[in-house]
Amino acid sequence: MNKTSIVTRADIIIISIAILILPWLYLHFWGDGSQGEIARIQVANQTPRLIPLHRSQRYPIDGPLGTSIIEVQNGRIRFIESPCRNKLCIHSGWLQRDAEFAACLPNLISITIAGRNPRFDSINF
Amino acid sequence: MNTSKPLHLRTSRDDHRIAALAALAIAIHLIEAALPSPIPGVKPGLANVITLVVLFMYGWRDAAWVSLLRVFAGSLLVGSFLTPTFVLSLAGACSSLAILGLAWHMNPLLQRLGLKQGLGPVGLSVLGACAHMTGQIITARLLIIPHDGLFHLLPLLITAAVLFGIVSGIITQLILIQLRPNQ
């Protein structure tokens, strides 16, 4: 081995492959590829309600505190009105990609973007 | 029961060497654990420099011992033994050891294919770091956060892994040059 060499040719090949894979990772996981089709709205312990994202519409959803209004527009969904105090749900903004999530804990309403066939009904921790 | 004779464990020179090197790795691990990180889950992983140096000087078996001892003893000292942090750390160490073993034993093949020097510390370090991150994310997805949103972190984490992998690899090579000056 050359005394001063820090990287070998095989090292450079590995680093190049790694650097080439990075943009693909960003495109695949951060790009718009995984657009959601259906939003699942859950209120307290009720059965989840499924809402298609292709039809722009506003949905009033009743929770224990009052009525939250959820808006669907151009394949996206968000909270636009909520009786809760800190409005974290509204500040979550638009959800559109698969598995994105927003919740209003005071009013016990949550929205998840789901694929056509969700693999589980709920998660317990 | 005979209590007059103390129990003697036979230790070989190999054991002593592995223990000393593992102690070094644990010390680096502890110092790193005390430093704050800007992004949770991202840290330089400089303890892996020791694993790589051991890999090059004494082979994969010793490297595996040093790495796993570091995970177990390090977690006992930090206080994270058997917590999710420990599980992730162990998963990362196992994945990276698996890839390092594979690549290490592929080296003769690479050399026959014309890459005369085979994979050096930098290449192995990048491979190990990426395997470490991927193993951790998959384990976290399976055991801790069963939600696909977790994979949104993957690009950032792999970027960090590649960068820190290159840095650790260069440090390893500099140490190896110091340790084996006539090679």
Side-chain angles (χ1 to χ4, degrees):
Chain A
M1 193 189 275
N2 186 346
K3 204 194 282 183
T4 51
S5 81
I6 298 284
V7 288
T8 68
R9 201 175 297 167
D11 287 348
I12 293 173
I13 295 174
I14 289 289
I15 294 171
S16 316
I17 294 173
I19 290 174
L20 284 176
I21 288 177
L22 285 180
W24 176 82
L25 278 178
Y26 280 95
L27 281 179
H28 186 262
F29 289 104
W30 287 11
D32 284 329
S34 50
Q35 192 87 19
E37 293 170 337
I38 287 177
R40 212 158 51 109
I41 297 177
Q42 178 125 30
V43 186
N45 294 321
Q46 299 171 21
T47 320
R49 183 172 163 190
L50 297 175
I51 288 179
L53 293 181
H54 54 79
R55 196 170 50 224
S56 297
Q57 199 180 326
R58 284 184 180 190
Y59 299 88
I61 305 286
D62 292 323
L65 282 189
T67 306
S68 292
I69 298 180
I70 290 169
E71 182 182 40
V72 174
Q73 197 187 75
N74 303 326
R76 307 181 296 174
I77 187 164
R78 67 173 174 180
F79 280 98
I80 52 171
E81 247 181 76
S82 171
C84 59
R85 203 140 47 104
N86 45 20
K87 315 283 183 202
L88 282 178
C89 48
I90 297 173
H91 290 299
S92 303
W94 289 109
L95 312 176
Q96 54 180 333
R97 288 190 211 120
D98 221 3
E100 278 187 317
F101 184 83
C104 180
L105 294 186
N107 208 14
L108 298 179
I109 297 178
S110 70
I111 313 179
T112 319
I113 309 281
R116 268 194 195 286
N117 304 304
R119 276 181 299 159
F120 40 77
D121 293 330
S122 68
I123 300 172
N124 265 304
F125 288 98
Chain B
M1 204 167 82
N2 187 357
T3 50
S4 61
K5 271 189 185 169
L7 176 68
H8 273 292
L9 277 176
R10 265 165 201 260
T11 52
S12 63
R13 279 177 65 188
D14 278 10
D15 296 336
H16 287 259
R17 192 183 62 221
I18 288 173
L21 290 163
L24 195 55
I26 292 162
I28 295 174
H29 178 83
L30 284 182
I31 293 168
E32 228 178 43
L35 295 174
S37 159
I39 312 168
V42 174
K43 55 179 199 162
L46 289 175
N48 296 316
V49 167
I50 305 295
T51 310
L52 283 166
V53 169
V54 174
L55 178 68
F56 274 85
M57 298 198 64
Y58 306 110
W60 185 80
R61 200 190 71 98
D62 282 20
W65 267 113
V66 167
S67 175
L68 292 176
L69 278 173
R70 197 260 298 158
V71 170
F72 278 89
S75 73
L76 281 174
L77 291 172
V78 175
S80 64
F81 185 56
L82 296 185
T83 63
T85 316
F86 165 77
V87 173
L88 289 181
S89 180
L90 186 62
C94 291
S95 331
S96 108
L97 280 173
I99 288 291
L100 284 182
L102 201 68
W104 184 245
H105 292 104
M106 287 268 287
N107 248 350
L109 186 72
L110 286 178
Q111 282 159 353
R112 221 177 304 155
L113 286 174
L115 298 160
K116 276 192 191 114
Q117 298 167 320
L119 274 173
V122 181
L124 284 172
S125 172
V126 170
L127 279 178
C130 292
H132 188 102
M133 271 307 178
T134 315
Q136 280 192 332
I137 276 273
I138 291 172
T139 311
R141 171 66 181 78
L142 291 177
L143 300 179
I144 298 168
I145 308 174
H147 192 272
D148 282 339
L150 195 61
F151 290 117
H152 288 302
L153 288 172
L154 200 58
L156 266 187
L157 293 179
I158 295 289
T159 309
V162 171
L163 286 180
F164 288 131
I166 293 173
V167 172
S168 310
I170 291 172
I171 296 173
T172 307
Q173 178 67 319
L174 294 176
I175 293 174
L176 285 172
I177 290 171
Q178 291 291 314
L179 291 176
R180 303 186 297 192
N182 43 3
Q183 244 179 333

